[in-house]
Amino acid sequence: MKRVALVITAVAALVAGCGGSEDAAVPEEATSTTAEAYEPGPFFGECGSVTDAEVQSAFGAGPFVQITRNSVGCQWETVGFGGPGVSFSWYRGSPIGRERAGSELIGRPAKDIEIDGNPGFEAEQDTLCEIGVQFGDDFFHWSITYSLGPAARPPCDVGNELATLTVERKR
């Protein structure tokens, strides 16, 4: 019984491998992939090279508590509920246009900005602002929000200040 199963398997493999010329051949260009060269942009440092004290100073509010800190981003919130919050994210090899389109899709119209010769966008709605700055195939993103109550400073003023510090400190 084992021999019969082995013979059937061998014959099936041979038949499957013997395709005729009428088999659908996949053109070579469809099977090969071309990898585009990716040149990494500058190093922005942990949290965009911005300190906790600088985040608090930019807001003119606080005290802030950093709740997330990792290799690609940081997030701060004020002590207590409903105060301002800020996050920094760094994207390598990711299109900034997708981030911009997402902001526009949820009702935050984006406008073009430039920081130290680097293109980007600013999207503001009420008490929230997003700043994205592009460096080749990479970009970083600051998101500023005043959840409740009046803002001590306009959120995009805070975002531009933090983004400018990040650009100035890139390595």
Side-chain angles (χ1 to χ4, degrees):
M1 194 62 141
K2 288 182 184 178
R3 260 190 223 169
V4 172
L6 184 58
V7 170
I8 292 173
T9 303
V11 171
L14 281 172
V15 170
C18 295
S21 63
E22 60 268 1
D23 287 344
V26 178
E28 185 177 320
E29 65 268 4
T31 60
S32 67
T33 58
T34 54
E36 292 186 30
Y38 166 72
E39 287 293 324
F43 178 71
F44 295 112
E46 188 173 65
C47 300
S49 297
V50 175
T51 68
D52 297 350
E54 288 169 324
V55 170
Q56 185 171 340
S57 174
F59 267 95
F64 276 89
V65 175
Q66 190 174 78
I67 59 171
T68 303
R69 180 180 218 111
N70 60 45
S71 62
V72 294
C74 296
Q75 184 175 355
W76 299 262
E77 291 182 0
T78 54
V79 176
F81 179 73
V86 61
S87 67
F88 169 81
S89 301
W90 177 11
Y91 301 89
R92 286 227 182 252
S94 182
I96 192 172
R98 182 173 38 212
E99 191 74 24
R100 180 183 182 134
S103 292
E104 291 178 338
L105 187 64
I106 56 177
R108 289 189 292 271
K111 68 178 186 177
D112 292 334
I113 63 166
E114 187 176 292
I115 297 177
D116 196 27
N118 300 288
F121 75 92
E122 174 183 295
E124 185 173 14
Q125 181 183 36
D126 301 323
T127 59
L128 182 115
C129 180
E130 295 179 87
I131 305 284
V133 181
Q134 185 170 358
F135 288 82
D137 292 330
D138 300 345
F139 75 96
F140 68 79
H141 180 263
W142 281 98
S143 179
I144 290 55
T145 184
Y146 288 90
S147 301
L148 301 172
R153 292 183 62 201
C156 280
D157 286 359
V158 174
N160 276 294
E161 180 178 332
L162 296 173
T164 298
L165 288 173
T166 299
V167 169
E168 289 171 353
R169 296 173 181 170
K170 72 185 181 310
R171 296 180 245 153

